[in-house]
Amino acid sequence: DTAVSQTPKYLVTQMGNDKSIKCEQNLGHDTMYWYKQDSKKFLKIMFSYNNKELIINETVPNRFSPKSPDKAHLNLHINSLELGDSAVYFCASSPPARGGYTFGSGTRLTVV
Amino acid sequence: GEDVEQSLFLSVREGDSSVINCTYTDSSSTYLYWYKQEPGAGLQLLTYIFSNMDMKQDQRLTVLLNKKDKHLSLRIADTQTGDSAIYFCAEPFRGGNTPLVFGKGTRLSVIA
């Protein structure tokens, strides 16, 4: 069973569209995250969320919004997609304390 | 600042040892991490070290921590072609259980 699963794996869409990426974890972890990995493989935290607190990286445009229907899910919604949003987006989760993350396999978003 | 610095490339011959270096910024970090990313995959936690330790060994992996210099290294003994990947150093931003900040990753190439 996949511990952290993301869908879709690939997403190609036109500029200006709105899209969502789904993430689910079956590890019982308290905190979930979204990271963006650019073409140079640099990873940047976008959001971290548990049932108490949403931490937002202030550099993330407000076109991006996390939505968590329950503890096991943290979806990423993106409005008005731009070319620069093309990247691989990774979802991750972690238990309390030590914080060893489990990552999903990524969603490659291409905006054309 | 939140920068975690790593050299971007390392090339070694099969059977040799690989040493990947990292400098971090937050002296209050309780744990420091090494992650591995294979092509087309998510990040996999390789190992971690608690900040009150100088060294941790796990089979072919040895982690060294120099808190005074804020320097972390990962040594892979008897490097194999399957070790070719990108290796990321990570620390919690501002310490505690905050989102991990990743270095830019070191691409390890193993030559047969």
Side-chain angles (χ1 to χ4, degrees):
Chain A
D1 285 348
T2 304
V4 179
S5 60
Q6 297 178 228
T7 54
K9 190 170 176 64
Y10 300 96
L11 181 55
V12 181
T13 188
Q14 290 186 325
M15 284 174 55
N17 284 351
D18 302 339
K19 289 293 179 185
S20 291
I21 305 172
K22 295 184 177 180
C23 179
E24 176 182 5
Q25 54 99 1
N26 62 6
L27 299 165
H29 286 171
D30 291 326
T31 308
M32 297 182 71
Y33 311 84
W34 279 104
Y35 280 82
K36 178 181 180 181
Q37 186 174 46
D38 64 22
S39 58
K40 295 182 179 177
K41 304 297 184 182
F42 300 162
L43 276 161
K44 285 289 187 183
I45 180 70
M46 300 179 72
F47 304 102
S48 104
Y49 182 76
N50 61 24
N51 58 1
K52 298 174 188 173
E53 187 180 18
L54 171 65
I55 300 174
I56 302 171
N57 184 330
E58 63 270 14
T59 66
V60 174
N62 58 15
R63 298 181 295 103
F64 291 79
S65 57
K67 298 188 190 302
S68 180
D70 55 55
K71 184 179 166 182
H73 296 83
L74 184 67
N75 303 324
L76 181 65
H77 190 74
I78 316 168
N79 289 329
S80 302
L81 277 154
E82 300 178 358
L83 293 177
D85 298 332
S86 296
V88 180
Y89 292 84
F90 286 101
C91 177
S93 70
S94 70
R98 197 184 73 230
Y101 291 15
T102 302
F103 279 82
S105 56
T107 296
R108 182 174 294 277
L109 171 65
T110 304
V111 183
V112 297
Chain B
E2 57 176 278
D3 287 342
V4 178
E5 298 288 340
Q6 300 178 239
S7 54
L8 295 182
F9 301 98
L10 177 65
S11 181
V12 299
R13 293 196 178 278
E14 191 174 19
D16 288 350
S17 292
S18 307
V19 180
I20 301 171
N21 294 302
C22 168
T23 56
Y24 61 96
T25 56
D26 192 341
S27 58
S28 66
S29 292
T30 52
Y31 288 94
L32 294 147
Y33 302 84
W34 284 104
Y35 284 80
K36 176 183 181 183
Q37 185 179 29
E38 297 181 349
L43 277 74
Q44 170 195 358
L45 177 64
L46 262 186
T47 187
Y48 62 93
I49 188 167
F50 189 48
S51 59
N52 68 353
M53 299 170 65
D54 297 325
M55 184 181 82
K56 179 180 179 180
Q57 188 152 2
D58 183 1
Q59 300 182 332
R60 293 191 297 122
L61 304 178
T62 302
V63 178
L64 296 177
L65 175 60
N66 181 329
K67 287 188 69 177
K68 174 176 170 290
D69 295 336
K70 296 181 186 171
H71 183 265
L72 184 71
S73 68
L74 174 69
R75 178 177 180 269
I76 306 173
D78 186 25
T79 312
Q80 303 297 307
T81 54
D83 295 324
S84 294
I86 302 176
Y87 291 81
F88 293 90
C89 170
E91 67 163 340
F93 177 48
R94 298 194 184 118
N97 196 28
T98 53
L100 292 181
V101 174
F102 287 82
K104 290 182 167 60
T106 300
R107 186 180 296 272
L108 174 64
S109 298
V110 182
I111 306 164

